[in-house]
Amino acid sequence: MSTDEIRAIELLGRVSYGRVATSMRAMPFVAPARHIVTDGRVLLRMHRGLGYHRACNGSVVAYGADNFNSGARKIWSVQFTGTAEIVEPTEEELAAFGPEPRAVDDEPFEPVYMRIEPQFVTVHELDYSAGHPAESADRPVELHSTDHSTDHSAEHPVDHPLDHSLERHLHHVA
């Protein structure tokens, strides 16, 4: 396993959800999925009722996850690209997924599981702590909300210019 693959797997283990992307009837789509990493492969749990698993099964997909909403000064994004196949997870894998959602779009959740055999892995890291030695890289960044119903000025009296550049960057990334 390459250094990037090891790093991507370590980062992916920090979050529970990501997005799987492929095409259906020649149109691209992205769908949310719960994931675990087992034996160097990504195992996804999706809702069968949406039918996305049919487009993914046997196809090349990309699965990405990130910590964009974490508030961290070191933002990362990973992507696993490879062939997906529907599988039956082991009891240990089912336990690792944890509880299932009750419903998806107001219909009962029915799980389907897919394994991605990665052909290549990418890791991107955006370090917003560089150039600011007085600031800790692990200190969360307060992203400014458009909800002005609560006054947070007492909690964060100083408006840091880095916060605005991060907000602008994440707006363009999303």
Side-chain angles (χ1 to χ4, degrees):
M1 219 182 278
S2 74
T3 304
D4 277 349
E5 289 172 325
I6 293 167
R7 178 75 174 136
I9 287 170
E10 186 268 326
L11 290 170
L12 197 60
R14 295 181 184 185
V15 296
S16 300
Y17 289 87
R19 291 155 298 283
V20 63
T22 193
S23 63
M24 187 164 44
R25 294 186 292 274
M27 300 296 288
F29 78 90
V30 176
R34 170 79 167 94
H35 68 261
I36 62 170
V37 177
T38 178
D39 297 325
R41 295 185 203 122
V42 180
L43 184 61
L44 306 180
R45 180 178 71 193
M46 300 173 66
H47 175 51
R48 183 180 302 275
L50 299 175
Y52 296 147
H53 64 286
R54 288 190 295 273
C56 294
N57 190 35
S59 298
V60 173
V61 302
Y63 184 73
D66 56 63
N67 72 336
F68 288 167
N69 291 325
S70 71
R73 291 199 180 274
K74 289 190 177 181
I75 304 298
W76 56 262
S77 173
V78 299
Q79 181 172 294
F80 290 75
T81 303
T83 306
E85 67 175 315
I86 295 174
V87 297
E88 288 298 320
T90 66
E91 289 298 320
E92 294 82 23
E93 291 168 339
L94 287 172
F97 274 111
E100 296 175 349
R102 182 184 57 76
V104 173
D105 298 336
D106 294 327
E107 68 178 61
F109 180 76
E110 183 183 349
V112 63
Y113 299 89
M114 291 188 308
R115 186 174 319 277
I116 301 173
E117 183 69 47
Q119 301 301 309
F120 63 92
V121 175
T122 56
V123 177
H124 297 289
E125 294 181 286
L126 297 91
D127 187 348
Y128 284 93
S129 65
H132 300 278
E135 307 234 5
S136 167
D138 295 325
R139 184 180 152 257
V141 174
E142 175 70 23
L143 296 180
H144 301 284
S145 168
T146 56
D147 177 12
H148 298 289
S149 61
T150 307
D151 181 14
H152 297 289
S153 59
E155 296 173 16
H156 303 285
V158 179
D159 193 18
H160 196 284
L162 178 61
D163 296 342
H164 291 293
S165 71
L166 178 59
E167 182 180 44
R168 273 195 309 275
H169 178 77
L170 291 179
H171 173 74
H172 293 291
V173 169

